Amino acid sequence: VARCPRGHIHGGDLANSNAGAAVGRKAGQRSLHSAPAPAPPTLGNNHPESPEWRCCRPTLRERNALMFNNELTRGRRALCHFVLGPPGATRTVPAHKYVLAISPAAFLILLKYVYSDEIDLEADTVLATLYAAKKYIVPALAKACINFLETSLKAKNTCILVSQSRLFEEPELTQRCWEAIDAQAEMEAVVFEALLNWAEAECKRQGLPVTPRNKKHVLGRALYLVRIPTMTLEEFANGAAQADILTLEETHAIFLWYRATNKPRLDFPLTKRKDLSPQRCHRFQSSAYGSNQWQYRRRCDSIQFAVDRRVFIVGLSLHGSSSGKAEYSVKIELKRLGMVLAQNLTKFMSDGSSNTFPVWFKHPVQVEQDIFYTASAVLDGSNLSYFGQEGMMEVQCGKVAFQFQCSSDSTNGTGVQGGQIPELIFCA
């Protein structure tokens, strides 16, 4: 491919492979001696210059098909032209900026895959890469992007991924987003933050200054669908109360609602959103204790597990002291292939019985089917404790089948047959 003096890129030498291309003159350039343009013909609804064309082409695919090989689009000519073929037998094809545009990071990932069959995805670039893979019909790369997104759903990115998955026509990803939202519906602070982000974007779309007053204006009654009273007092004080979107009277009333005996009337829903009810998978058939058995010395108790369908892990249940009431400090972790997906450093109180005591992750964690994950707990507290025994390698819990195997991370004796982490708490 050679660049000619006029700035064209001719592909005559590549004619046999149909790969030649050239960037021609910019749209709108006219000869000094060109004749006046004729009067435009009457436009039908299917023509891209017609104001009604979107009504007749409701999907992105149909609109793009209408733009294909078309010089005009909404009053502008094609951005550039490709000149294909050998000299003397060339053909000029129009193209548009919105079709050709692609971010540098996504382009490099796409090009690396084409050259080396290697895919390097990151959270900051995966959506742009998916867009490029869809646009240029690279199904393997698109599938890798979808898999990356499905396994990285979190409360803070689920809302944006719902809209993106619908734009990219990926119904399975859309369904997984809704499942993640169901599993995390109680996180009203995240809902409020997403609402503020939308309001800011809507102000910009309408050409309004991004001010608290304008954000409240574009939200309208939607603001009063947020279940602010279901937030914790700390979440409200550090988030919604400082967002300047509520009036002083509303903020004062909500603070009173948290603490006052006679609670004021609020314009916000007072009940929590309905989320998925947590279930417990118990992997031991009995529990026991002994005077010289199971002790916690800040060693790691760990077990590996896999499920036969996608679920959300929300916490672990642990055994506590066998010598009376005791408080434990504990660090729990969930890992996949050595990568930490979630962790929490917290405390729990045991009552001296053989009961199990739940410890929660900060956010639900999506786990995929037929992949082994590692659940771990490091406890510090009363040494002598209960422990599980007669462990099962497979447990059917409702519609979900769990499979357990020993973990190399376990340094305190926990395994399939006995030990700590008697229960996995999950939503399905």
Side-chain angles (χ1 to χ4, degrees):
V1 179
R3 182 177 296 274
C4 73
R6 295 183 182 178
H8 289 63
I9 302 176
H10 282 280
D13 294 338
L14 301 179
N16 292 334
S17 63
N18 295 323
V23 178
R25 57 185 175 276
K26 293 183 178 178
Q29 285 186 342
R30 299 175 58 188
S31 167
L32 294 176
H33 304 290
S34 59
T42 302
L43 303 178
N45 289 347
N46 288 337
H47 195 283
E49 293 296 287
S50 169
E52 292 79 19
W53 74 282
R54 289 184 178 85
C55 299
C56 302
R57 293 290 188 272
T59 68
L60 181 64
R61 182 176 298 174
E62 289 174 317
R63 294 177 188 178
N64 278 340
L66 188 61
M67 295 300 100
F68 168 67
N69 204 19
N70 198 318
E71 283 281 354
L72 296 172
T73 171
R74 299 301 301 147
R76 294 184 180 181
R77 292 187 178 275
L79 176 73
C80 64
H81 295 80
F82 290 93
V83 180
L84 309 175
T90 60
R91 179 178 177 181
T92 302
V93 179
H96 304 88
K97 178 180 180 180
Y98 83 95
V99 172
L100 299 176
I102 181 173
S103 74
F107 180 75
L108 287 174
I109 295 172
L110 174 64
L111 201 61
K112 183 175 182 179
Y113 172 72
V114 172
Y115 272 79
S116 64
D117 201 31
E118 295 181 7
I119 301 176
D120 296 325
L121 296 175
E122 296 180 0
D124 293 339
T125 59
V126 63
L127 284 175
T129 305
L130 175 59
Y131 176 74
K134 287 276 189 176
K135 177 184 288 188
Y136 296 110
I137 317 176
V138 187
L141 181 59
K143 184 177 180 181
C145 292
I146 295 296
N147 290 339
F148 183 95
L149 292 170
E150 287 177 347
T151 57
S152 59
L153 289 174
K154 298 179 181 178
K156 291 188 176 182
N157 68 7
T158 304
C159 292
I160 184 65
L161 288 182
V162 167
S163 62
Q164 293 295 318
S165 64
R166 297 175 69 179
L167 173 65
F168 292 132
E169 299 179 0
E170 289 290 341
E172 185 174 347
L173 177 58
T174 303
Q175 178 61 30
R176 293 200 178 196
C177 289
W178 287 124
E179 291 173 0
I181 290 172
D182 284 341
Q184 304 173 70
E186 78 285 356
M187 301 175 66
E188 205 65 27
V190 175
V191 175
F192 184 80
E193 182 180 350
L195 200 72
L196 292 183
N197 291 337
W198 180 90
E200 179 177 342
E202 182 64 11
C203 285
K204 293 178 180 178
R205 190 186 72 82
Q206 295 187 20
L208 299 173
V210 181
T211 64
R213 181 177 181 179
N214 285 338
K215 287 195 287 187
K216 188 168 186 176
H217 169 71
V218 298
L219 284 172
R221 290 300 305 172
L223 174 62
Y224 298 95
L225 299 178
V226 182
R227 301 166 187 252
I228 290 180
T230 67
M231 298 179 186
T232 66
L233 176 58
E234 181 180 8
E235 287 174 337
F236 174 70
N238 293 329
Q242 299 186 41
D244 293 330
I245 201 169
L246 303 175
T247 66
L248 289 177
E249 291 78 8
E250 288 170 337
T251 302
H252 181 255
I254 294 172
F255 272 120
L256 288 178
W257 191 90
Y258 280 110
R259 294 303 188 194
T261 302
N262 297 321
K263 299 184 182 298
R265 179 185 175 277
L266 300 179
D267 292 329
F268 301 91
L270 305 179
T271 58
K272 287 188 175 183
R273 296 179 187 273
K274 182 179 180 182
D275 58 354
L276 300 178
S277 300
Q279 304 176 55
R280 300 193 184 195
C281 174
H282 199 92
R283 67 187 190 93
F284 295 129
Q285 299 182 65
S286 63
S287 61
Y289 70 93
S291 59
N292 60 349
Q293 298 186 43
W294 223 269
Q295 300 184 18
Y296 299 131
R297 298 173 181 172
R298 300 182 183 179
R299 295 176 180 171
C300 181
D301 289 288
S302 183
I303 192 71
Q304 287 192 323
F305 70 93
V307 291
D308 66 345
R309 57 177 295 183
R310 186 174 63 257
V311 300
F312 292 87
I313 299 296
V314 296
L316 312 175
S317 287
L318 303 173
H319 281 303
S321 170
S322 60
S323 55
K325 185 176 180 180
E327 182 182 63
Y328 287 91
S329 296
V330 58
K331 178 181 179 181
I332 58 173
E333 281 188 343
L334 186 66
K335 297 192 294 186
R336 175 186 177 184
L337 299 176
M339 179 181 297
V340 177
L341 303 178
Q343 62 180 210
N344 193 19
L345 182 61
T346 185
K347 296 181 179 181
F348 74 93
M349 184 69 70
S350 68
D351 58 10
S353 72
S354 61
N355 294 334
T356 59
F357 304 94
V359 181
W360 308 94
F361 289 113
K362 294 180 179 179
H363 307 299
V365 183
Q366 179 177 262
V367 301
E368 300 296 322
Q369 67 182 50
D370 302 327
I371 297 175
F372 273 95
Y373 293 79
T374 303
S376 301
V378 178
L379 289 91
D380 184 20
S382 177
N383 279 340
L384 293 178
S385 79
Y386 284 90
F387 58 92
Q389 57 185 13
E390 297 182 276
M392 297 171 284
M393 294 185 63
E394 297 183 1
V395 178
Q396 187 71 36
C397 191
K399 296 181 179 180
V400 184
F402 284 80
Q403 182 180 351
F404 295 96
Q405 68 180 27
C406 294
S407 167
S408 59
D409 291 349
S410 189
T411 58
N412 198 40
T414 289
V416 174
Q417 297 300 320
Q420 184 52 279
I421 315 180
E423 292 175 334
L424 300 177
I425 309 175
F426 69 100
C427 295

